[in-house]
Amino acid sequence: MTVDPPSTRGVLYPARLPTFHREPVAGDFAVFVRWFWIPEWDIEPGRASRQHVVGFPACNLVVEGGTVAISGPTTRASYRDLSGTGWAVGALLRPAAVPELVGDATALRDDYRRVDHPELAAVVRAAMESGAAPGQRRVAAISAFTAWLRERLGEPTDEGVLANRMVELVEADPALLTVPDLAARLHVSTRTLQRLAATHVGLPPAALIRRRRLQEAAEQLRADPSLDLTALAHELGYADHAHLTNDFRATLGFTPSTYRRTQSAG
């Protein structure tokens, strides 16, 4: 299993985050859920906090207040404006959990769809609004969420485990730059790989590789805005600076030069 990336991976402007916790899942249940994420916010009246994200190529099951929703895999950066007081508890699903909980993941691309699970909303809300200490609230919410999921998920299928491995390899090995490279590492055909990605992620395998490279590029530019963009492009496997810029613009809506300037300006 891969080592999880820093908690800000995928967040374009971490300094704007509200109180945010990411709790990795250990043990046998980690085959279905990668981590639980819990933001809590209290924004002063009349103001809002915009959160920009280039998400992991995955589906999320999210409880917020009295509602439950499934967030599908994204093909571009997204944002949300937070206001008032609130919280959310989300489970970043591993591919093995997707067919059972989500169904057709490709139909959920770039979508956030409410689902009818009032019993899940009730137990998570009770934990988060219990009045206990913050750490105790989060532990109780994750425990209730996990128990609900266990009732609906049996044993992972062999194909689900292989799909998990596919995503782990993409994130862990920067030398994997093409779909044939990835298929060879998994000892499957490119056609099988494409079907696996569609069924268990909802995105083509090339998009998984591209997303890893964009997240890494953004993270490196945050850490060091003075980085040479041509050198960064080559490090991440792009042919040149122009290809990195094109990917940035197509997915994030701005160029790496623009993003670097925002980091330098603080």
Side-chain angles (χ1 to χ4, degrees):
M1 188 172 296
T2 59
V3 175
D4 283 324
S7 62
T8 56
R9 174 72 63 85
V11 180
L12 293 177
Y13 302 98
R16 302 178 190 174
L17 277 177
T19 301
F20 184 83
H21 297 271
R22 180 182 284 176
E23 303 293 341
V25 175
D28 64 322
F29 199 62
V31 72
F32 290 123
V33 175
R34 186 168 182 179
W35 58 64
F36 289 94
W37 48 271
I38 305 178
E40 299 179 75
W41 61 92
D42 187 359
I43 311 296
E44 62 182 87
R47 301 195 65 179
S49 175
R50 175 161 290 188
Q51 308 302 314
H52 293 260
V53 176
V54 52
F56 286 85
C59 295
N60 289 265
L61 186 62
V62 187
V63 178
E64 184 175 345
T67 66
V68 182
I70 291 178
S71 174
T74 59
T75 62
R76 56 185 181 270
S78 60
Y79 69 86
R80 180 180 172 189
D81 291 326
L82 300 179
S83 60
T85 301
W87 54 265
V89 181
L92 182 73
L93 303 178
R94 288 195 185 273
V98 167
E100 184 67 29
L101 293 175
V102 177
D104 183 2
T106 60
L108 277 172
R109 287 180 189 172
D110 298 312
D111 197 7
Y112 186 87
R113 187 177 301 174
R114 289 190 178 185
V115 289
D116 187 25
H117 296 308
E119 70 288 352
L120 174 60
V123 293
V124 173
R125 185 173 189 175
M128 289 299 294
E129 299 180 359
S130 66
Q136 293 175 326
R137 291 200 310 267
R138 293 192 294 272
V139 168
I142 290 171
S143 178
F145 208 142
T146 299
W148 185 89
L149 286 169
R150 281 189 183 277
E151 290 182 358
R152 286 153 182 81
L153 296 168
E155 293 297 317
T157 65
D158 290 343
E159 188 172 270
V161 172
L162 182 62
N164 284 0
R165 179 61 177 156
M166 171 185 67
V167 171
E168 290 166 2
L169 278 173
V170 168
E171 290 196 6
D173 190 349
L176 289 173
L177 300 177
T178 70
V179 172
D181 288 344
L182 180 57
R185 286 288 298 277
L186 289 172
H187 306 291
V188 300
S189 67
T190 56
R191 185 172 182 179
T192 295
L193 187 68
Q194 289 162 350
R195 179 183 55 79
L196 199 67
T199 302
H200 292 271
V201 180
L203 295 172
L208 309 185
I209 297 170
R210 187 163 56 248
R211 184 61 50 86
R212 181 207 71 218
R213 293 198 291 179
L214 283 173
Q215 286 185 337
E216 178 66 20
E219 188 171 47
Q220 289 202 39
L221 287 172
R222 285 197 304 275
D224 183 2
S226 68
L227 279 176
D228 179 79
L229 294 179
T230 297
L232 177 61
H234 289 158
E235 178 185 340
L236 296 176
Y238 287 96
D240 52 34
H241 177 190
H243 283 82
L244 171 62
T245 296
N246 289 340
D247 257 8
F248 239 77
R249 185 186 289 112
T251 303
L252 306 183
F254 46 77
T255 68
S257 296
T258 299
Y259 184 62
R260 181 169 63 177
R261 285 195 295 272
T262 65
Q263 301 306 309
S264 298

